[in-house]
Amino acid sequence: SSSATDSKDLRAKLVLLGDSGVGKSCIVLRFVRGQFDPTSKVTVGASFLSQTLALEDSTIVKFEIWDTAGQERYAALAPLYYRGAAAAIVVYDITSPESFSKAQYWVKELQKHGSPGIVMVLVGNKADLHENRSVSSQDAQEYAEKNNMFFIETSAKTADNINQLFEEIAKRLPRPTA
Ligand code: GDP
Ligand code: MG
């Protein structure tokens, strides 16, 4: 069959949540365009970027990735943003305990108001800044396990674990039963 109509192909809305400045936009641009630009204001805005990923079992996953245009500052707007999302990446900065607390707030929000069965992943970004680390990997891993989330540390700057992050999400998406 042609790949465009293959029943194994998946399409998934994916959103990113987390404090301003933790690197959400940089993670998206690293994954979609393979770039990191420390000088640009990279927030993508209201529309989405899409990127496909081929899995080992030959499933093609098409991510429709929504980046916030600063909605993370307005908790009341968030449900409009994550409505219908199949997956959510909750991001904190490993050098910022405040951003880890905020990530936990977003996890609770998604548990209360997200789509049932939404795939949630906890991401500690800016792993390249390990000399200034102030959130331990172990604390984050334990929190993630308690909340049934996959946990990974990434660097949008060095590209470390960025593709792995999206592959792990793709593997966890529910497969059509037909
Ligand atoms: P957002 O507000 O969550 O979308 O954050 P941005 O993607 O706009 O990134 C905020 C700032 O963090 C920018 O100055 C980026 O250059 C920087 N940044 C993002 N990811 C990383 C990373 O992995 N490592 C380092 N060192 N800086 C990063
Ligand atoms: Mg942004």
Side-chain angles (χ1 to χ4, degrees):
S1 64
S2 81
S3 63
T5 55
D6 196 308
S7 62
K8 285 173 80 181
D9 292 355
L10 292 177
R11 179 193 296 263
K13 175 177 172 179
L14 186 154
V15 296
L16 291 97
L17 290 164
D19 255 353
S20 269
V22 295
K24 299 180 299 298
S25 298
C26 287
I27 289 170
V28 173
L29 290 188
R30 171 58 84 183
F31 176 58
V32 174
R33 299 197 187 135
Q35 294 171 349
F36 179 79
D37 181 351
T39 61
S40 75
K41 282 268 164 219
V42 288
T43 289
V44 173
S47 62
F48 60 79
L49 289 174
S50 61
Q51 177 69 309
T52 56
L53 198 63
L55 299 186
E56 276 177 11
D57 69 356
S58 82
T59 303
I60 307 283
V61 178
K62 183 177 187 190
F63 286 116
E64 293 174 344
I65 307 171
W66 294 63
D67 188 26
T68 69
Q71 286 98 326
E72 63 266 39
R73 295 191 186 85
Y74 307 101
L77 296 180
L80 295 172
Y81 167 70
Y82 58 71
R83 177 189 295 165
I89 300 178
V90 180
V91 186
Y92 66 92
D93 167 350
I94 68 156
T95 72
S96 162
E98 297 77 17
S99 74
F100 185 54
S101 300
K102 197 60 187 283
Q104 296 176 35
Y105 162 83
W106 285 118
V107 169
K108 290 194 196 90
E109 279 293 301
L110 288 164
Q111 286 168 341
K112 276 190 269 181
H113 306 298
S115 315
I118 187 171
V119 174
M120 291 198 284
V121 176
L122 181 66
V123 171
N125 189 45
K126 308 197 187 183
D128 57 287
L129 301 179
H130 50 85
E131 286 176 358
N132 297 318
R133 174 189 290 279
S134 32
V135 179
S136 84
S137 306
Q138 196 186 334
D139 286 353
Q141 177 69 52
E142 279 171 15
Y143 176 79
E145 274 171 27
K146 277 189 199 134
N147 288 279
N148 273 315
M149 300 171 81
F150 179 74
F151 166 64
I152 193 166
E153 291 186 351
T154 60
S155 170
K157 183 174 182 179
T158 66
D160 199 34
N161 275 347
I162 296 292
N163 282 329
Q164 288 86 336
L165 162 62
F166 288 88
E167 278 165 20
E168 292 294 340
I169 294 167
K171 281 192 221 162
R172 285 170 172 73
L173 292 171
R175 295 294 188 270
T177 47

